[in-house]
Amino acid sequence: MKSFLAPLLRSGEPSLALTNTRHNRVVARALLTAFDSKSRRTGLLGRDSLAEGSALIIAPSQAIHTFSMRFAIDVAFVSKDGRVLKVRQAVPPRRIAVALRAFAVIELPAGALERSDTKPGDQLQLEAIKTADSRPA
């Protein structure tokens, strides 16, 4: 099975947004990735915040921790095809969150999952960001 994250791995891809297909709402427009061992270990450590509209996608991963973090985050555990398996909202520092069937973990600013109305069972996908210049004439 091909991963829903495949567009992030292609070179030359346009800017991508993470969207929820249930209602076509954008979950995040600025995507950070942690696909290698070092970046997965580092994650958001050392940051004071995560900008609104941003997300860190960690793959492969079934668990995260917020030890040594300075702010709360929302967390979505996602299957390889992009289905949301589990969500945790406003996870404070010094916590662990796990979903054993997950392929990837998406970390977002606290409140982002509620604002985007993202719930378990929703399907997430990556789409090219539409700009004002890409509108049909």
Side-chain angles (χ1 to χ4, degrees):
M1 171 195 300
K2 188 175 174 181
S3 167
F4 85 104
L5 298 174
L8 281 173
L9 302 174
R10 291 187 211 127
S11 62
E13 279 293 312
S15 294
L16 299 169
L18 184 66
T19 61
N20 184 327
T21 64
R22 178 169 53 90
H23 45 54
N24 293 319
R25 194 171 291 169
V26 173
V27 178
R29 289 188 180 279
L31 304 177
L32 308 169
T33 60
F35 295 158
D36 61 62
S37 181
K38 182 180 181 210
S39 61
R40 286 194 310 265
R41 275 193 315 274
T42 305
L44 296 173
L45 297 177
R47 293 175 177 250
D48 290 323
S49 65
L50 181 60
E52 198 59 43
S54 297
L56 172 64
I57 302 173
I58 305 169
S61 182
Q62 299 174 324
I64 58 102
H65 70 81
T66 59
F67 299 122
S68 301
M69 285 190 52
R70 302 176 190 145
F71 56 97
I73 57 172
D74 282 359
V75 180
F77 293 93
V78 183
S79 66
K80 195 169 188 174
D81 68 354
R83 177 104 23 225
V84 177
L85 302 173
K86 180 178 179 181
V87 298
R88 291 292 176 257
Q89 296 182 0
V91 177
R94 298 177 304 281
R95 299 293 191 280
I96 295 173
V98 178
L100 296 179
R101 295 181 302 132
F103 168 73
V105 179
I106 302 172
E107 298 181 346
L108 304 120
L113 291 174
E114 185 175 342
R115 285 188 293 279
S116 67
D117 189 25
T118 299
K119 304 173 184 181
D122 287 354
Q123 184 73 36
L124 301 180
Q125 69 180 15
L126 295 167
E127 293 182 343
I129 293 177
K130 295 172 181 70
T131 63
D133 297 332
S134 65
R135 282 183 274 164

